[in-house]
Amino acid sequence: MSFFGVWAGMTALIGAGLAPRAVASAPAANWTWVWASDGTRPPETLFFRQRFRLPAAPVSARLRIVADDAFTAYLNERKTPVATGSDWTTVLDFDVTRRVRAGDNLLAIEARNVSGPGGLLYKLTARMPNGRTLTFVSNGRLRYNRRVPPVWTTLALDDSRWPFAREVAAAGGGTWGALKGYPQPDPARIVRLWDIRAGGKPGDNAYTRVRAIGDRMLLSASAASPSEMRLLAQSGFTLFQTDSDHLATEETAPNQWNWRAASAARNAVQGLGLDWCYSPHYAFPPSWYEKTVPFTHIQCLEHQQTAAAFSPWEPAWGDFIEHGYAALARAFGPPDKPSASPGSANAATSNAPAPAAAPVTSNVSNASTRPDPAAALYVGIHGDYGEAGLLTGGRVSVAGQSEDWQRRFGNLHDHLGYWCGDALARKDFARAMTLKYGDLGKLNTAWKRDFKTAQDIAYPARPRNDAPREWLDFIAWYQDGVGRAVELNLAAARKHFPDALLMLPCGFSDEDPRGGNDNSLLPKLAARYHADVRSTHSAFKPFADNAATMFGRLGSASRFYNAPFWAEPPANLTPEQEVGRIFEAVSQGAKGLFDWAGSAVANRDVYTRYGKYLRVAKPVVDVAMFYPARAQTLRPNQAYAPLFAQACAYLRDAGNFDIVDDRMVLDGALANYRVLVLWEGTLADAATLDKIRA
């Protein structure tokens, strides 16, 4: 079936009101018996709290609940219980429609255990006016405490420091077995057993081998509770990701590494027979390093203020990254890189700029007993979240993250801007421009300047109509600085994890040059280090708009430079958005999909219904749209070429296309197309125009 046939089938179902959605009678496979994680013996009383949010008042809401031995449940600060029970053999069903509301809600449960094992099991389902069903369940994300204040049933109480509950058994299993009132399995839901190794040769790495047309797409998600990961495994997900601290590293003191959180995550994922992906970050050194080791901080041009991260032009940054990946490989790398046990004086070290010569220590067991190595790395580069670009202000614009930034660094100086104000960056700019033009006279001619010495070369304040070359050279140099950051991280990751899947995070909402993200350079660099590209723009915009902007841009460049392509969305997608992103991933020939566990669990019906389309495809495209990347940088207040985006979005309804820019044209991309369409941007290098004419 053609892509348009697939899309027509999907949209027909949506138009007929048959879009995938959770069904109230769906099997209760995702609720889990939970209890305390500290192992205290009965008799005991535990207090559980779950906050949840509804976009509107529900049409109906029901609470199914049971506890061993008894429970009392409250909803939304009401002093009168909404449900009580003392028969652990029976799941009770309560209508709670009048107790839940639009906005923030709180379910508070007092559970009492007199003897034997303790456990709590519940599921709250709310059917919304649009027909969608939202479900909230007992699992390892539930918080509990043994001693609580009188206001424990109110939303005002801060329970963020309460411990998480321990998942004891799946519903219908464990000590309790099948219960009265427990729903029977739903035969309408298919369990897909995907063999991601099918199609490869014996011994091939399923994540790094070339996936042929028709092979299963790889599915990855954020790590979640064991019950949720089991559910996602039934939908074809095999790779689960956790992240390091984005604003520090795990090195708590010189050559002392704390891998407890990463090890626990790896063990939880691999303990389910699944594969683990880790996302390390080395742009922000830990606080002890920042205070004791001299290095050049990244600095903005606008305010001449620094942030507590490395300047991309700091020579020592490469050694710091190398040091981090060497330690990561000892802990989670292949078996020929043994991990250092605590106190091991002969552990391997790197040429890292540590302030003191200390033995490398960690809290990971040695190579003979440790689990499998990390199957994949989502390689952090720089910026607020590790994407391939520089700071954007994302951290200080989000509640919680803003306070965290203030607490760590004592300021809120994080914004979109030109982060090249440090002395090393200025010196590198002068060096690079001198090297490009060969002598100062040629540079002055091209820029219409009158610099007397190379030391006089400075950044332009803005584009100039009479000498656009000056600004174009500045932006190209600035984006190459991000390219250098990408290469430093990918080179170190590939050196220490030679067989792992590496993914390059390509984000940013647009092409504002201040971000530093050059969206054809990034896939080209990824291919150089045998890394995949992961675009964070899946379902970022409606399908046609997405194809015409960042998602289509990165997908086209990835296919041309032979960098396998992954699609990552925002969180909390609707079923309709999940359907759309499946089609756009197929349309871009994606190798894999990443999804946030919450969205993937809520939309499992989408993966069940449309999972058959999640196969690697080769788009048949003979039309290319020319994105005027060079000309666009002369319009620094414009995030994306507007006529291009509008026209291409209209045309996506009629046919598929690729997006090429100046670099791709110069690298020979036009040989793949019958038609090239130019919409806007009349400025281009002579070599680019010559290629187009030819």
Side-chain angles (χ1 to χ4, degrees):
M1 180 183 290
S2 70
F3 291 149
F4 291 103
V6 174
W7 183 244
M10 291 182 176
T11 51
L13 286 170
I14 295 173
L18 298 177
R21 61 178 184 267
V23 181
S25 60
N30 57 338
W31 51 343
T32 306
W33 283 96
V34 296
W35 201 244
S37 57
D38 53 17
T40 303
R41 296 174 179 270
E44 55 187 332
T45 300
L46 300 185
F47 300 88
F48 297 87
R49 284 167 54 96
Q50 181 175 26
R51 298 170 182 265
F52 60 97
R53 185 173 180 81
L54 297 178
V59 175
S60 65
R62 306 199 70 85
L63 174 65
R64 291 173 176 169
I65 185 169
V66 62
D68 187 352
D69 291 291
F71 70 87
T72 303
Y74 303 86
L75 260 172
N76 289 334
E77 307 181 345
R78 295 287 188 90
K79 295 182 179 180
T80 304
V82 71
T84 60
S86 57
D87 178 6
W88 64 263
T89 68
T90 302
V91 178
L92 300 179
D93 190 339
F94 298 89
D95 185 344
V96 296
T97 306
R98 295 187 177 184
R99 291 287 189 94
V100 296
R101 62 200 181 198
D104 293 326
N105 291 262
L106 172 68
L107 175 62
I109 303 170
E110 178 182 346
R112 301 171 294 281
N113 178 32
V114 177
S115 63
L120 170 67
L121 176 72
Y122 71 81
K123 170 186 283 194
L124 190 154
T125 56
R127 188 164 63 86
M128 307 308 294
N130 62 2
R132 187 182 182 193
T133 298
L134 301 179
T135 305
F136 309 93
V137 299
S138 54
N139 60 25
R141 293 181 177 179
L142 187 63
R143 293 188 181 273
Y144 79 95
N145 216 330
R146 293 184 178 276
R147 300 180 62 183
V148 296
V151 295
W152 76 280
T153 59
T154 66
L155 280 162
L157 178 67
D158 181 7
D159 57 14
S160 60
R161 296 179 181 272
W162 287 22
F164 289 107
R166 177 173 64 92
E167 295 188 355
V168 180
T175 301
W176 302 276
L179 304 175
K180 300 173 186 176
Y182 180 75
Q184 296 300 310
D186 179 6
R189 187 185 297 280
I190 299 172
V191 176
R192 294 190 180 277
L193 299 179
W194 284 15
D195 183 4
I196 62 172
R197 290 165 178 78
K201 299 176 182 177
D204 276 354
N205 184 320
Y207 293 105
T208 58
R209 73 168 175 84
V210 175
R211 301 197 75 75
I213 297 173
D215 284 352
R216 289 288 188 189
M217 279 191 198
L218 300 172
L219 297 185
S220 176
S222 55
S225 67
S227 61
E228 289 174 320
M229 289 192 287
R230 290 190 193 98
L231 283 177
L232 294 180
Q234 294 175 7
S235 297
F237 287 81
T238 60
L239 183 66
F240 290 84
Q241 176 183 316
T242 59
D243 288 27
S244 72
D245 185 343
H246 294 185
L247 304 179
T249 74
E250 300 88 345
E251 193 173 13
T252 57
N255 291 315
Q256 306 290 320
W257 299 84
N258 182 355
W259 301 110
R260 289 187 181 90
S263 296
R266 175 195 59 182
N267 294 342
V269 171
Q270 293 184 354
L272 298 173
L274 302 167
D275 296 315
W276 180 58
C277 172
Y278 194 53
S279 181
H281 298 79
Y282 298 107
F284 288 79
S287 59
W288 66 264
Y289 186 103
E290 204 270 338
K291 294 173 182 176
T292 60
V293 181
F295 69 95
T296 301
H297 292 62
I298 195 170
Q299 184 180 77
C300 74
L301 274 181
E302 293 83 347
H303 313 98
Q304 294 301 303
Q305 291 192 40
T306 62
F310 281 96
S311 164
W313 296 273
E314 165 60 75
W317 189 33
D319 289 336
F320 182 84
I321 295 170
E322 167 72 19
H323 177 64
Y325 275 102
L328 187 68
R330 287 190 294 271
F332 305 112
D336 60 342
K337 295 183 179 298
S339 74
S341 57
S344 172
N346 61 351
T349 59
S350 75
N351 58 347
V360 176
T361 63
S362 74
N363 53 11
V364 185
S365 60
N366 62 38
S368 63
T369 59
R370 69 180 181 181
D372 292 336
L377 296 178
Y378 190 41
V379 180
I381 304 300
H382 209 293
D384 295 76
Y385 303 102
E387 294 167 334
L390 300 180
L391 296 169
T392 64
R395 285 276 173 185
V396 299
S397 63
V398 178
Q401 296 180 15
S402 176
E403 291 79 1
D404 179 56
W405 185 285
Q406 175 72 46
R407 178 184 59 80
R408 291 180 191 238
F409 307 129
N411 62 63
L412 292 176
H413 196 73
D414 173 27
H415 60 83
L416 182 64
Y418 291 105
W419 286 88
C420 56
D422 62 89
L424 287 176
R426 294 176 186 274
K427 183 178 179 180
D428 187 79
F429 178 68
R431 177 202 60 79
M433 295 303 102
T434 301
L435 183 65
K436 174 177 181 177
Y437 286 98
D439 64 63
L440 202 57
K442 292 180 180 178
L443 183 147
N444 282 329
T445 299
W447 290 7
K448 296 186 178 180
R449 292 290 189 183
D450 189 25
F451 297 129
K452 304 302 182 185
T453 68
Q455 288 71 33
D456 295 333
I457 299 174
Y459 303 140
R462 64 188 63 84
R464 293 159 50 215
N465 292 332
D466 63 328
R469 174 63 56 189
E470 178 187 44
W471 183 261
L472 292 172
D473 286 343
F474 166 63
I475 296 300
W477 166 84
Y478 185 66
Q479 293 176 330
D480 283 345
V482 172
R484 178 176 180 272
V486 169
E487 292 203 79
L488 287 174
N489 282 277
L490 287 183
R494 181 53 72 206
K495 172 183 175 181
H496 293 285
F497 290 82
D499 302 318
L501 166 65
L502 302 183
M503 289 179 281
L504 177 65
C506 294
F508 295 80
S509 60
D510 53 43
E511 304 231 2
D512 191 311
R514 292 174 293 179
N517 51 307
D518 183 330
N519 291 312
S520 61
L521 175 63
L522 298 178
K524 185 173 182 177
L525 293 177
R528 185 177 300 170
Y529 293 93
H530 305 289
D532 295 6
V533 168
R534 196 162 111 190
S535 168
T536 65
H537 308 91
S538 182
F540 182 67
K541 296 181 178 181
F543 171 78
D545 295 316
N546 231 24
T549 53
M550 299 286 284
F551 190 73
R553 191 116 139 74
L554 286 164
S556 298
S558 296
R559 288 194 302 281
F560 174 63
Y561 289 114
N562 292 317
F565 186 65
W566 287 68
E568 174 186 329
N572 302 318
L573 296 186
T574 66
E576 289 76 16
Q577 288 174 314
E578 288 281 18
V579 174
R581 72 180 295 252
I582 288 175
F583 180 66
E584 70 181 9
V586 176
S587 299
Q588 296 292 342
K591 169 184 175 179
L593 284 179
F594 174 89
D595 208 346
W596 298 98
S599 289
V601 169
N603 294 313
R604 284 182 300 127
D605 287 323
V606 172
Y607 287 98
T608 296
R609 181 170 296 188
Y610 299 117
K612 60 185 177 183
Y613 299 119
L614 288 171
R615 294 184 179 275
V616 177
K618 182 179 180 181
V620 179
V621 180
D622 67 351
V623 174
M625 305 293 176
F626 181 73
Y627 183 77
R630 295 282 279 167
Q632 184 63 20
T633 62
L634 295 172
R635 298 183 281 192
N637 296 323
Q638 195 175 85
Y640 200 82
L643 177 60
F644 178 94
Q646 182 183 34
C648 290
Y650 287 152
L651 286 176
R652 187 59 186 86
D653 286 339
N656 202 356
F657 52 79
D658 284 348
I659 301 174
V660 302
D661 65 6
D662 310 67
R663 173 181 292 103
M664 295 170 67
V665 168
L666 291 174
D667 287 343
L670 296 186
N672 299 326
Y673 307 103
R674 182 175 57 89
V675 176
L676 178 68
V677 183
L678 293 88
W679 292 101
E680 59 177 307
T682 56
L683 185 148
D685 288 337
T688 303
L689 296 175
D690 288 343
K691 282 275 190 177
I692 292 173
R693 290 191 192 96

